Amino acid sequence: DKRWCAAFLFRDHLLYTSVREKDACWEYGDKLDGNRVRCRFCQKVINGGISRFKFHLSQIPSKGVNPCVRVTDDVREKVIALIEAKESHRELELLKRKRVAELSVLPKRTRELPSQPSSPGLPTSPPIIPAFEPSQLLGLEVPAPVLRLSSAATKPRPASGLEVERCIAEFFFENKLDYSIADSISYKHMMDTLVGQEFQGPSADVLRTKWLQKLKSEVLQRTQEIKKDWVTTGCTILADSWTDNKLKALINFSVSSPLGTFFLKTVDASPHIKNHRGMYELFDEVIQEVGPDNVVQIISDRNINYGNIDKLIMQNYNTIFWSPCTSFCVNSMLDDFSKIDWVNQCICQAQTITRFVYNNNWVLDLMRRCMAGQELVCSGITKSVSDFLTLQSLLKHRSKLKQMFHSSEYVSSPYANRSLSISCVEILSDDEFWRAVEEIAAVSEPLLRVMRDVSGGKAAIGYIYESMTKVMDSIRTYYIMDEGKCKSFLDIVEQKWLVELHSPLHSAAAFLNPSIQYNPEVKFFTTIKEEFYHVLDKVLTVPDQRQGITSELHAFRKAQGMFASNIAKEARNNTSPGMWWEQYGDSAPALQHCAVRIVSQVCSTLTFQRDWTIILHSHSEKRNKLNKEALADQAYVHYNLTLHSDSKTTAKKKAEGDPIALDDIDMTSPWVEDSDGPSLTQWLDRFPSALDGGDLNTRQFGGSIFGTNDLFGL
């Protein structure tokens, strides 16, 4: 048995050695002498071999390794997945070895058991456990979740009282919980049950004082590390506003850069809504706090009338641009889409179905069973996004919905004879309705794709020009046989794009994006070049930089010098523009400095989901100064904990989730909330010509509905 176990361990050692030599992370580093690795992203030398190098690339904190500040998001997420897989494999191997050690002694115990008595009436001895062969043990598969709960081998080390307190404090601040909960009897009972009676959880006063200040200082320290990168990449100030009908106006200020977004502060702009000079001073104070030399642009929504302060800021700070929020403008396009008569009628018809389903428990349970637990309604970050996501969901589950309403289980139920149920069946059986849903889903999908691309703090400014061109191209392609509908949708997109959304920075970023610049099928408008030179003229403030800019532009356009290397060519389409310029732009140092700062910026204020309740509490007029300061600190810690949560969880959520969809259904939305109005009649009777003409019956709806030729020369 001992020899066999030794062979088992030796086999694992050989397997581990083989895997270590073929580790996938070697493609991102160069092996040096003395178990050292040089990172190909930031050129730092890491001691300790490939394992520590992985933590360097993954940016996972608390591992004693300086994180790489140049690693791309896709590589970082890949390395995090490798680390998690390796840890899971190691835990499973420990479980198997322990189980093997336990089972290897069972045959000896079996032989020592007394034989079963032959006399009736005597107690029966325990059954004999059969011996296990080594071959059986090698193939033993043990359910990991069960052993993880029962095996001492996987028991985590006991956490210190300080660590437990920290976890509790982060739980309170991240979820905006009232401090008084920590003084409740049920809270103390929970601590006694989970941790033990010898541990006293942090009280409300401890959370309010000790942990609030401790977590705030840690956030400040983390942001100081981010600020160091602003000298190279620059940053964007995000102004996200909230107003009510009583002229109450609050502005959230955040700062975004390639290393992340962090919440700065909230200001009460109510006294300055009609005083543009006062509003300018609010923004000027934020610019001075961030550093004028670091700021590339300011992005704001349009919930507040900012007047002419954008012009004042760009006049007084020559290198700063004021840009609109892309998410805000794209959502406005979707909102106008939904106001088109036949689109609005189709949405109302679809809401008849969802309201009936979600307002009857039995029907809702049946629907979830038929759809394998999936939801029919999708809640998005805005009402318009919710509308079009839910229409896509209806289209996706069309056949299952029809089967449910025609199933014997439903037909025999008391719900089948209700008037709303009959209306739902009629709608689901109407081919014209489904043709309209398919049409709306096809036209709205490119805009939803833009919303996804610019949300979540992504440096997407280099792609927004191309994305909006593709949106317009897709509408033209889809409505090639229907000029009237084509014009109705195109007018909305073009008006918002040209008047509200477009910024000179979008043109400059598109011009500097290598995936666009070197695409032979792209033809740039003259206006794009003019806006690029306008931006370059503002950003290049040092005379020495201007002297060689012409030759540097020529080298970039003609792909000369480092731009001509095979590595640079291969990275044009699979590397972020900012990273590409940092790595391969040394042949044009002045242009490289400008390009990195321009293409590294975000184009949307939609970086995280905000809850304005915590902000409103801190700005209540009924609170004293000290209380307001404490609540402001609480909001600061809450938002930044949300933005800078554990890297593993964040990477997994980004990979699996939809940045414009919410996890929970909004039970107050028109798609769910019951209506007291009369049921809708057939919407086609109201506008008989809405879907006439074209080749809608044969038109396909998919992801490649636009062409690639002359993206900017339409």
Side-chain angles (χ1 to χ4, degrees), residues 219-430:
V219 170
L220 288 170
Q221 184 178 359
R222 192 181 299 121
T223 56
Q224 291 302 320
E225 295 297 321
I226 295 177
K227 288 180 180 179
K228 294 177 182 177
D229 202 51
W230 291 351
V231 177
T232 303
T233 65
C235 63
T236 296
I237 294 176
L238 307 177
D240 183 34
S241 60
W242 175 91
T243 61
D244 63 5
N245 55 3
K246 298 180 180 179
L247 296 181
K248 182 75 172 178
L250 302 175
I251 303 176
N252 270 348
F253 285 105
S254 305
V255 185
S256 181
S257 67
L259 287 187
T261 302
F262 71 86
F263 174 77
L264 190 62
K265 63 180 178 180
T266 301
V267 297
D268 187 352
S270 305
H272 310 296
I273 290 180
K274 297 182 179 180
N275 178 9
H276 293 159
R277 187 65 193 177
M279 190 77 75
Y280 169 82
E281 291 175 354
L282 291 179
F283 277 84
D284 184 68
E285 181 181 342
V286 174
I287 292 172
Q288 293 297 326
E289 185 175 347
V290 175
D293 294 336
N294 297 324
V295 181
V296 176
Q297 68 172 341
I298 298 173
I299 297 180
S300 66
D301 55 31
R302 287 295 175 186
N303 289 332
I304 294 179
N305 179 19
Y306 293 103
N308 295 321
I309 66 168
D310 54 342
K311 295 181 177 62
L312 287 174
I313 288 176
M314 288 190 287
Q315 180 180 346
N316 294 337
Y317 296 97
N318 189 49
T319 59
I320 297 179
F321 294 85
W322 185 288
S323 303
C325 173
T326 302
S327 297
F328 187 88
C329 293
V330 172
N331 182 74
S332 180
M333 296 176 193
L334 291 171
D335 189 45
D336 285 352
F337 278 14
S338 65
K339 293 176 182 177
I340 296 175
D341 186 57
W342 68 269
V343 176
N344 181 56
Q345 294 295 337
C346 182
I347 291 174
C348 291
Q349 288 284 83
Q351 288 175 348
T352 301
I353 300 172
T354 58
R355 286 172 182 166
F356 175 74
V357 171
Y358 278 86
N359 282 277
N360 296 281
N361 285 329
W362 186 88
V363 181
L364 181 60
D365 292 339
L366 179 63
M367 182 273 291
R368 287 172 175 165
R369 280 190 281 121
C370 292
M371 292 172 47
Q374 298 184 56
E375 295 290 347
L376 186 61
V377 172
C378 298
S379 291
I381 51 177
T382 65
K383 175 186 176 298
S384 297
V385 171
S386 300
D387 290 345
F388 292 103
L389 286 179
T390 303
L391 285 178
Q392 287 185 355
S393 177
L394 278 166
L395 190 62
K396 176 183 176 182
H397 300 293
R398 169 170 48 180
S399 59
K400 293 179 180 178
L401 275 175
K402 288 184 176 181
Q403 291 174 7
M404 183 195 81
F405 277 96
H406 289 90
S407 65
S408 57
E409 185 176 3
Y410 182 81
V411 172
S412 60
S413 71
Y415 295 94
N417 295 324
R418 295 187 180 183
S419 59
L420 279 177
S421 174
I422 296 173
S423 298
C424 290
V425 173
E426 291 177 352
I427 294 171
L428 291 171
S429 302
D430 188 351

Side-chain angles (χ1 to χ4, degrees), residues 592-697:
Q592 180 190 42
H593 169 75
C594 298
V596 170
R597 291 174 66 86
I598 292 172
V599 299
S600 297
Q601 306 310 314
V602 298
C603 53
S604 169
T605 61
L606 191 63
T607 54
F608 60 96
Q609 187 180 354
R610 295 166 177 83
D611 185 351
W612 286 93
T613 55
I614 188 173
I615 302 294
L616 292 173
H617 281 309
S618 61
H619 287 272
S620 172
E621 297 178 358
K622 297 180 180 180
R623 299 185 182 276
N624 61 41
K625 181 179 179 180
L626 294 178
N627 198 6
K628 287 184 178 181
E629 291 177 355
L631 285 170
D633 289 344
Q634 184 180 348
Y636 180 81
V637 171
H638 160 72
Y639 280 131
N640 285 298
L641 281 179
T642 304
L643 284 167
H644 302 284
S645 57
D646 181 72
S647 57
K648 292 183 182 179
T649 306
T650 304
K652 185 176 181 182
K653 187 174 182 180
K654 284 184 178 179
E656 296 178 355
D658 187 341
I660 64 173
L662 305 181
D663 295 333
D664 300 322
I665 296 177
D666 180 8
M667 301 306 291
T668 64
S669 76
W671 291 92
V672 176
E673 193 173 40
D674 200 3
S675 175
D676 295 330
S679 61
L680 294 171
T681 59
Q682 286 293 325
W683 62 276
L684 193 60
D685 296 334
R686 300 185 180 182
F687 40 96
S689 61
L691 293 175
D692 290 345
D695 56 344
L696 295 179
N697 288 317

